[in-house]
């Protein structure tokens, strides 16, 4: 039943000049659907991952202690000034190879770091740096008077950060953070470069056999449009929900 | 104008009707726009695949493209009475380069298969025959294609070996951007074998000192297929002109000499077969 529906759909699109015949090939259709899932998985792992990296780095940057802030600043500068793809190649093709060879020399068995894990690490780190800067902007825009009031109530530095600065900073930084997250969703496509089976990779593998580039690009566009749309919606919802009536307006 | 039209057509494939009408209009003026343009400009743009080794590489000293593919491309241009303009292409995007008019012809290690023959034109006389070979670690215990079942295997994106490896041998295929990435991934332990054209793999494991721990133990080639020169669909004049040059290459033994000169070893028996065939044919 659903099979014949698929056949009809493919034929209808063919009449429009769009060749979606790969949908009728079990292997290719399954690979493509798997690709959709892998892209979703990457998003679901790198969004919290990058936010965690961002909060950690922002806390270090705002700590007021040079020995914490300086290394964090170095990480930020190095990470945001090199392309994600280059970082991924460096991490996976070079670092990973060295780790594998070292483990082999030690007789410690296979390398547990898969290409998928490398993508999660590199993308989380890369985007986390941008979150950190967005959060820093938020932290620095918390009024001095508010901080002084909190200090006079006996808040420690950590309490000050966790209870006063971050909650306000997140509100200030939210538009930038959502912006970063939308960008992060699109950035997961770099996974295709190292053969992680995300939607871009599966599409390339299919179109290099069938040459239906346009057809697959339309599907990629739809999928990323859907994912980024969801992130934007969630961001809008959070902004509404966290709005403090009377503050700043 | 013609260039614009060519690139427009490639993007507007869904608008088949419009494209067909345009092609018809163009068709009344010229039988084959590409060959006309080649003659007119005295220049032909040929896409070549450069993946290191004797097949095609960049000379470190002169920055010139050297090896089998570039040699053939230059000789082909000469045969067409034009100057060669070589453009490097990637496996995954070479078809788009051809269809969008960025190149007129492709000599890009692209074997003949029915899917491609449906969307592109080609000179029917093959200039080479090539299949896939697998590079594996010497201690991997892999001796035949069936040993790859269920194991990760590296290829380059767009490789025609991806399908038989998955469908016939049940390997988990991972496609990397280029052959060099795939080979690095093999050395990084991300796959048990890297499968590429045998002409790339054999010289590598035989003579490259960095690859002493690797070998190509599987005797048979996967999916041996003829390599042809690709054109856009329906360019009959261009195809005929190219095919004439290729037939002459076989007849004169130029391909056999070139194979030796660029250092492809062992010699492919296909070339000798073809030479014998064309010599008797011309008698």
């Amino acid at each position: 039943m659903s099979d014949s529906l698929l056949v009809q759909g493919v034929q209808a699109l063919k009449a429009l000049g769009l060749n979606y015949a790969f949908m009728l090939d079990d292997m290719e259709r399954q690979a493509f659907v798997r690709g959709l899932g892998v892209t979703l998985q990457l998003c679901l792992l790198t969004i919290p991952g990058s936010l965690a990296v961002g909060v950690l780095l922002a806390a270090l940057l705002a700590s007021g202690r040079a020995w914490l802030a300086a290394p964090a600043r170095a990480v930020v500068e190095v990470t945001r000034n090199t392309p994600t793809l280059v970082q991924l190649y460096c991490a996976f093709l070079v670092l990973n190879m060295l780790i594998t060879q070292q483990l082999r020399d030690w007789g410690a068995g296979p390398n547990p770091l898969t290409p998928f894990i490398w993508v999660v690490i590199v993308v989380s780190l890369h985007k986390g740096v941008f979150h950190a800067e967005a959060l820093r902007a938020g932290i620095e825009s918390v009024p001095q008077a508010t901080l002084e009031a909190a200090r006079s109530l006996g808040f420690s530095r950590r309490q000050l950060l966790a209870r006063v600065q971050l909650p306000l900073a997140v509100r200030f930084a939210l538009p930038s953070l959502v912006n970063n997250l939308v960008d992060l969703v699109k950035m997961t496509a770099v996974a295709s470069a190292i053969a992680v089976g995300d939607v871009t990779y599966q599409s390339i593998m299919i179109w290099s056999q069938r040459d239906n580039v346009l057809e697959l690009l339309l599907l990629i566009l739809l999928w990323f449009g859907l994912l980024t749309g969801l992130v934007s919606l969630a961001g809008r919802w959070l902004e509404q929900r966290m709005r403090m009536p009377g503050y700043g307006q | 104008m013609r260039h614009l039209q060519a690139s427009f057509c490639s993007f507007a494939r869904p608008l088949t009707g419009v494209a067909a009408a345009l092609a018809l209009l163009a068709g009344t003026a010229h039988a084959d726009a590409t060959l006309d343009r080649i003659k007119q400009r005295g220049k032909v743009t040929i896409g070549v695949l450069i993946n290191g080794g004797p097949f095609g590489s960049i000379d470190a000293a002169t920055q010139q493209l050297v090896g089998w593919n570039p040699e053939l491309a230059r000789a082909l241009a000469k045969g067409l009475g034009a100057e060669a303009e070589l453009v490097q292409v990637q496996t995954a995007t070479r078809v788009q380069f051809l269809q969008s008019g960025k190149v007129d012809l492709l000599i890009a290690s692209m074997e003949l298969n029915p899917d491609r023959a449906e969307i592109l034109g080609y000179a029917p006389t093959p200039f080479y025959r090539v299949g896939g070979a697998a590079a594996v670690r010497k201690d991997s215990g892999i001796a035949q294609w069936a040993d790859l079942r269920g194991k990760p295997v590296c290829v380059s994106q767009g490789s025609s070996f991806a399908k038989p490896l998955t469908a016939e041998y049940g390997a988990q295929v991972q496609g990397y951007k280029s052959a060099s990435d795939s080979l690095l991934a093999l050395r990084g332990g991300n796959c048990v074998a890297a499968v590429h054209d045998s002409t790339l793999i054999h010289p590598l494991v035989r003579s490259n000192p960095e690859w002493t721990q690797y070998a190509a133990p599987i005797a048979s080639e996967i999916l041996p297929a003829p390599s042809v020169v690709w054109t856009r669909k329906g360019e009959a004049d261009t195809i005929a002109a190219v095919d004439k040059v290729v037939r002459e290459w076989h007849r004169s033994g130029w391909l056999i000499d070139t194979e030796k000169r660029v250092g492809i070893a062992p010699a492919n028996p296909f070339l000798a077969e073809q030479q014998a065939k064309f010599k008797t044919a011309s008698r």
Side-chain angles (χ1 to χ4, degrees):
Chain A
M1 163 64 194
S2 70
D3 263 15
S4 70
L5 214 68
L6 200 61
V7 172
Q8 279 172 5
V10 167
Q11 273 165 355
L13 286 166
K14 186 155 193 172
L16 291 172
L18 292 170
N19 171 19
Y20 282 106
F22 81 92
M23 281 299 211
L24 302 179
D25 182 305
D26 278 347
M27 230 170 69
E28 287 180 13
R29 186 185 60 243
Q30 281 160 15
F32 184 78
V33 172
R34 231 176 16 249
L36 297 177
V38 170
T39 294
L40 186 64
Q41 264 179 353
L42 281 173
C43 292
L44 292 178
L45 287 170
T46 50
I47 287 175
S50 68
L51 287 171
V53 170
V55 169
L56 180 71
L57 282 173
L60 293 179
L61 286 171
S63 65
R65 296 195 178 90
W67 59 276
L68 286 176
R73 173 54 50 196
V75 169
V76 169
E77 293 304 332
V78 169
T79 311
R80 76 170 169 188
N81 291 337
T82 44
T84 327
L85 185 63
V86 173
Q87 290 169 4
L88 191 63
Y89 273 148
C90 260
F92 177 66
L93 292 176
V94 182
L95 197 59
N96 185 60
M97 181 171 80
L98 295 177
I99 292 173
T100 303
Q101 282 174 352
Q102 197 54 250
L103 287 175
R104 194 180 280 146
D105 290 348
W106 288 339
N111 184 348
L113 295 166
T114 61
F116 183 85
I117 293 175
W118 279 111
V119 173
V120 173
I121 293 173
V122 169
V123 173
S124 296
L125 190 66
H126 190 89
K127 220 64 230 185
V129 161
F130 287 85
H131 293 331
E133 286 293 82
L135 283 170
R136 189 172 64 87
I139 288 171
E140 287 178 2
S141 50
V142 175
Q144 279 301 322
T146 311
L147 296 180
E148 249 166 57
R151 270 192 221 106
S152 71
L153 289 171
F155 277 41
S156 72
R157 191 176 274 278
R158 190 172 301 152
Q159 283 174 321
L160 198 68
L161 183 72
R163 305 253 178 108
V164 182
Q165 281 179 300
L166 268 182
L168 284 172
V170 166
R171 288 172 166 87
F172 292 132
L174 204 51
S176 307
L177 287 178
V178 172
N179 206 9
N180 288 346
L181 290 178
V182 166
D183 198 41
L184 173 138
V185 168
K186 298 182 291 176
M187 192 184 275
T188 58
V190 295
S192 65
I194 59 167
V196 173
D198 74 325
V199 69
T200 315
Y201 170 81
Q202 299 293 8
S203 302
I204 292 174
M205 292 304 268
I206 294 170
W207 86 44
S208 52
Q209 298 297 323
R210 290 184 180 262
D211 191 52
N212 48 354
V213 181
L214 180 76
E215 288 83 347
L216 282 161
L217 278 178
L218 286 174
L219 291 181
I220 294 180
L221 196 72
L222 277 176
W223 186 238
F224 278 106
L226 182 71
L227 294 180
T228 53
L230 285 175
V231 170
S232 304
L233 269 181
R236 202 59 60 73
W237 178 79
L238 270 178
E239 276 178 41
Q240 285 292 327
R241 207 184 131 78
M242 292 171 69
R243 199 172 69 86
M244 290 182 290
Y247 190 89
Q249 280 133 12
Chain B
M1 168 61 207
R2 192 166 305 287
H3 185 78
L4 267 178
Q5 184 192 315
S7 55
F8 170 76
C9 285
S10 75
F11 278 102
R13 199 149 34 85
L15 309 170
T16 323
V18 181
L22 279 173
L24 206 68
L25 279 176
T28 52
H30 299 281
D32 187 337
T34 300
L35 190 62
D36 284 352
R37 200 182 57 232
I38 293 170
K39 298 265 184 231
Q40 196 189 330
R41 289 170 62 219
K43 231 181 203 181
V44 54
T45 317
I46 304 178
V48 289
L49 187 77
I50 302 298
N51 54 9
F55 236 5
S57 54
I58 298 172
D59 188 319
T62 60
Q63 297 300 308
Q64 289 288 305
L65 302 181
V66 293
W68 177 254
N69 287 334
E71 287 258 356
L72 259 58
R74 289 193 190 103
L76 180 60
K78 207 169 146 203
L80 294 172
E83 198 185 315
E85 203 175 342
L86 301 193
V87 175
Q88 267 200 64
V89 294
Q90 303 281 331
T91 325
T93 50
R94 55 198 175 185
V95 173
Q96 279 68 51
F97 268 64
L98 181 60
Q99 288 188 326
S100 64
K102 282 212 181 345
V103 301
D104 296 318
L105 301 166
L106 276 181
I107 299 185
S109 311
M110 224 168 122
E111 287 82 42
L112 183 58
N113 72 38
D115 286 346
R116 281 178 187 150
E118 208 167 283
I119 54 163
L120 297 175
Y122 61 94
T125 309
F127 59 80
Y128 212 59
R129 184 168 60 202
V130 113
V136 300
R137 274 185 74 84
K138 280 177 178 160
D139 57 14
S140 67
I142 287 164
Q144 50 187 340
W145 292 109
D147 292 339
L148 296 176
R149 179 165 299 279
K151 296 193 178 129
V153 172
C154 292
V155 301
S156 45
Q157 289 175 3
S159 163
S160 51
F161 308 129
K163 207 157 196 178
L165 279 170
T166 325
E168 287 172 43
Y169 301 110
Q172 297 170 358
V173 170
Q174 303 179 352
Y176 289 82
K177 278 252 177 294
S178 68
S180 43
D181 292 350
S182 152
L183 290 167
L184 267 177
L186 169 67
R187 295 187 55 183
N190 287 95
C191 39
V192 298
V195 177
H196 297 279
D197 286 344
S198 58
T199 39
L200 174 69
I201 294 291
H202 285 300
L204 195 67
V205 295
R206 201 173 43 239
S207 55
N208 191 317
E210 288 186 15
W211 285 83
T212 45
Q213 287 171 314
Y214 294 82
I218 305 176
S220 66
E221 289 193 341
I222 189 171
L223 204 74
S227 301
V228 294
V229 181
W230 293 92
T231 70
R232 280 176 287 272
K233 186 92 184 156
E235 297 186 328
D237 294 356
T238 313
I239 289 169
V242 170
D243 204 55
K244 199 173 145 218
V245 177
V246 177
R247 284 201 305 267
E248 177 56 26
W249 284 348
H250 280 301
R251 203 193 52 74
S252 66
W254 181 83
L255 283 171
I256 295 174
D257 295 342
T258 306
E259 186 188 37
K260 210 176 288 165
R261 195 170 63 247
V262 300
I264 298 173
N268 191 337
F270 174 77
L271 290 182
E273 279 166 34
Q274 292 287 306
Q275 190 188 22
K277 182 176 138 195
F278 280 100
K279 263 194 169 154
T280 48
S282 65
R283 243 176 233 151

